[in-house]
Amino acid sequence: QEYANRPYMFVQRAYQPTDAIIVPSVSSERREYIPIGFVDKETVISNLAFAVYDAELWLFALLTSKIHNVWVRTVGGRLKTDYRYSATLCYNTFPFPKITKEQREHLTELAEEVLLTRENHTEMTLGEMYNPETMPDDLKQAHQALDIAVEQCYRPEPFTSDDERLEYLFKMYK
């Protein structure tokens, strides 16, 4: 009711002055990975993306992994044929096992490696970096190493397909 006295003012202010993970609300169906960002407290995130405030790099590793993208492709919505991220459907429902301190530290190191590798390609936008035709080889390798570590949080043996990943995730979700 207090806001009714100022109808010209936006009510929702979600910005928090912390590091944040930024997840685009829509991402191309062609990408193997969602181009998720990690930004500092000076960045204000628009309404075209989701923010995870007080973010830690191990969580960035998880969200930028192939297994999370497989989940998003299955449970998320669509805008035309592109993937539409949803905090309720994609983020809040994503099954993730409890992990050890060592696993968190390892995921943090691999997330840092992905971010450092991106810095080697400042001539490209994130969209260009994650375009399957122009994705730099060193960024692919950094993501592949991260994928292995994330998937080892689920089980020691590697997954052989996206279908197997989904089957495992849905069993955990159930």
Side-chain angles (χ1 to χ4, degrees):
Q1 289 179 340
E2 178 186 332
Y3 290 113
N5 296 328
R6 295 175 286 185
Y8 54 86
M9 202 174 203
F10 284 106
V11 174
Q12 185 179 23
R13 293 187 193 138
Y15 169 76
Q16 295 178 26
T18 68
D19 289 344
I21 297 170
I22 179 171
V23 182
S25 59
V26 178
S27 184
S28 171
E29 67 178 314
R30 296 179 55 233
R31 294 183 177 126
E32 190 172 348
Y33 300 97
I34 299 170
I36 293 173
F38 194 85
V39 296
D40 64 20
K41 67 181 180 178
E42 302 301 318
T43 303
V44 176
I45 299 168
S46 85
N47 66 325
L48 299 176
F50 294 95
V52 180
Y53 290 105
D54 289 324
E56 296 184 44
L57 282 172
W58 72 266
L59 182 57
F60 170 83
L62 170 65
L63 296 179
T64 195
S65 70
K66 182 175 188 170
I67 197 166
H68 182 69
N69 197 23
V70 168
W71 182 257
V72 171
R73 289 172 182 262
T74 304
V75 303
R78 297 275 193 275
L79 182 62
K80 297 184 209 172
T81 58
D82 291 336
Y83 299 107
R84 186 154 191 198
Y85 200 89
S86 163
T88 305
L89 294 175
C90 302
Y91 184 83
N92 293 343
T93 64
F94 183 63
F96 192 67
K98 291 185 181 190
I99 60 174
T100 66
K101 181 181 176 187
E102 292 78 20
Q103 287 172 314
R104 278 182 197 238
E105 289 171 357
H106 187 53
L107 292 178
T108 297
E109 291 169 9
L110 293 169
E112 288 171 346
E113 186 60 35
V114 167
L115 293 171
L116 289 171
T117 303
R118 287 180 185 178
E119 288 180 17
N120 294 335
H121 303 283
T122 56
E123 75 286 356
M124 301 174 83
T125 65
L126 265 180
E128 291 168 337
M129 282 187 226
Y130 285 90
N131 178 330
E133 295 155 7
T134 58
M135 186 176 193
D137 289 336
D138 57 347
L139 185 57
K140 285 180 192 175
Q141 292 168 358
H143 270 286
Q144 289 167 350
L146 184 143
D147 288 337
I148 291 167
V150 168
E151 291 185 4
Q152 285 177 341
C153 293
Y154 289 91
R155 65 183 202 187
E157 67 274 359
F159 292 98
T160 58
S161 68
D162 288 346
D163 288 339
E164 189 179 1
R165 287 177 182 88
L166 276 176
E167 183 180 340
Y168 195 91
L169 289 172
F170 276 117
K171 282 181 185 174
M172 282 185 73
Y173 180 77
K174 186 177 166 185

